Amino acid sequence: MRWNYILFEIKMLVHNRKNWLLGIALILFFPIYYLQYSQTDIKTLQDQKNEEAEQFHSIFKAFPEEMRETKEGQEIYDNLTEQASLINMQRFYLWDEEDNDLYITDGLRLNKLRLDMHEAGNKGIHPNYIVPKQEIHKEVALLDYYQKHHISIVPDPFVASNYIPAALDTISGLPFGLIVLLIGSSMLLHDQQNRSLMIGLPVSFLQKVVSKVVIHLFLIFAFLVAGIGACSLYVGLKTGWGSFTSPVLLYSSGDFTAVSTVHYVLLQLLAFLLISLLLLVASVLVSRITKNLYTTVLFIVFLLLLPSLLLSAGIDGSWLRPLAMIDIGAVLSGEAAMRFASTSMDYKHAFLWFFGFTLAVNAVLYMKNKLQYTPR
């Protein structure tokens, strides 16, 4: 009977036009967003190194002359001089991919000198020209990855391998969550409209919920994968496929590591899967309480927005930070950790929270159903 019920739910889902429209919208987001993304003025590595070289004119001009007369001041000045020389050599190496190894070697030396300056207190340097430690560690992680895997240090930002992670980061958070909630909002609609008919089926409520959630989860993930596939095909034919071994920075436990694009995208997809499961189960619970589809969607959306609203208002809402991790793009990039000043807001903690929340919501749903139908 359970298999027949699953087939019945699939048939109902196939005839749900609203979900198909939402699915098509999700699929079309990826190629449509590329039209805007391709017009973005993305700073190249050459631009970055040119800016760094130009800054040294101001650094040397503002460096106190009296400091050069001391031993410490002369060491700092020599450090800055070597940094400027290394950056100019890197600018030269960028013209030829055969010089990648030299670029990486000089880059690692450059960042070592920058860290030495931090240890010395960055004396004599204007705060505007101090490279933050976090940015130094990011660059070192990328350089180590380039050196280990022997790939080009000047990737094309508009190829498919670089666009897909950017597009997934953009749609993560509330946009994707809203699509999931709207698709899952009608899971219990047919049962509520035909209660007398559905009560007679020899299938328990929890079995119905599991069937509905799994089917809707599969549908959402199918739409997401179809969107990524359409996007990859469109961008690949338009500008090129790129290299899926190229590095992407990943935040974890207060530090940054460079991982391949494939690794990063797989983490994104796993996160989308866990988020979809959590939101679908949560929508079932809330809709059982409110008995209203619109109220269910609005209530969950409000909960997801609450951590950011409290942060903007200057109110301590640290206990709600796990809800903010639904924006998995910000979590993976480290933006969420910086915004909420919490090193624990990384993908490992996010996955644990998503899984834990799902179990907790399931437990509440089970207890509610048990109490409701237990004779007194």
Side-chain angles (χ1 to χ4, degrees), residues 74-284:
Q74 187 60 48
E75 290 177 352
I76 293 174
Y77 193 85
D78 291 342
N79 183 306
L80 293 172
T81 302
E82 187 177 356
Q83 286 188 44
S85 176
L86 289 169
I87 289 174
N88 284 320
M89 290 305 298
Q90 284 186 306
R91 294 169 67 194
F92 174 76
Y93 296 144
L94 285 174
W95 291 101
D96 190 350
E97 287 193 9
E98 294 182 0
D99 293 328
N100 276 4
D101 291 339
L102 295 174
Y103 176 92
I104 294 169
T105 302
D106 283 1
L108 293 172
R109 173 60 182 169
L110 170 65
N111 285 287
K112 172 65 169 59
L113 292 173
R114 287 171 172 170
L115 290 174
D116 290 343
M117 289 295 294
H118 275 282
E119 293 179 3
N122 289 300
K123 296 178 182 178
I125 304 176
H126 192 279
N128 291 343
Y129 302 120
I130 296 175
V131 181
K133 281 188 177 181
Q134 190 176 73
E135 296 301 319
I136 296 173
H137 292 312
K138 284 182 181 180
E139 188 170 343
V140 169
L142 288 173
L143 291 172
D144 286 339
Y145 186 94
Y146 287 129
Q147 190 174 54
K148 181 179 179 180
H149 295 87
H150 304 288
I151 58 177
S152 174
I153 59 175
V154 191
D156 183 351
F158 300 111
V159 295
S161 61
N162 289 328
Y163 169 69
I164 293 172
L168 288 173
D169 283 345
T170 301
I171 200 174
S172 71
L174 193 58
F176 180 75
L178 188 57
I179 291 175
V180 173
L181 290 173
L182 290 174
I183 289 178
S185 63
S186 57
M187 280 193 294
L188 300 180
L189 181 62
H190 182 268
D191 292 15
Q192 292 172 353
Q193 292 176 341
N194 302 273
R195 294 187 63 183
S196 59
L197 174 63
M198 301 307 295
I199 289 175
L201 292 177
V203 181
S204 68
F205 171 75
L206 292 179
Q207 289 175 336
K208 293 178 184 178
V209 170
V210 170
S211 301
K212 292 174 183 291
V213 168
V214 170
I215 293 170
H216 282 77
L217 184 65
F218 177 81
L219 180 69
I220 292 167
F221 208 67
F223 284 141
L224 183 63
V225 172
I228 295 173
C231 155
S232 301
L233 182 62
Y234 174 76
V235 179
L237 295 176
K238 187 177 179 63
T239 59
W241 295 96
S243 173
F244 285 88
T245 59
S246 58
V248 182
L249 286 171
L250 176 66
Y251 177 81
S252 176
S253 302
D255 199 5
F256 288 90
T257 56
V259 298
S260 67
T261 303
V262 172
H263 185 170
Y264 192 84
V265 171
L266 288 177
L267 284 177
Q268 288 176 310
L269 292 178
L270 177 58
F272 281 123
L273 184 65
L274 292 174
I275 291 169
S276 300
L277 178 60
L278 171 60
L279 292 179
L280 288 174
V281 174
S283 66
V284 171

Side-chain angles (χ1 to χ4, degrees), residues 206 281 285 355-371:
L206 292 179
V281 174
L285 175 61
F355 186 70
F357 276 147
T358 303
L359 290 180
V361 173
N362 273 315
V364 173
L365 189 61
Y366 173 80
M367 291 304 299
K368 183 181 184 305
N369 183 71
K370 195 77 173 176
L371 292 173

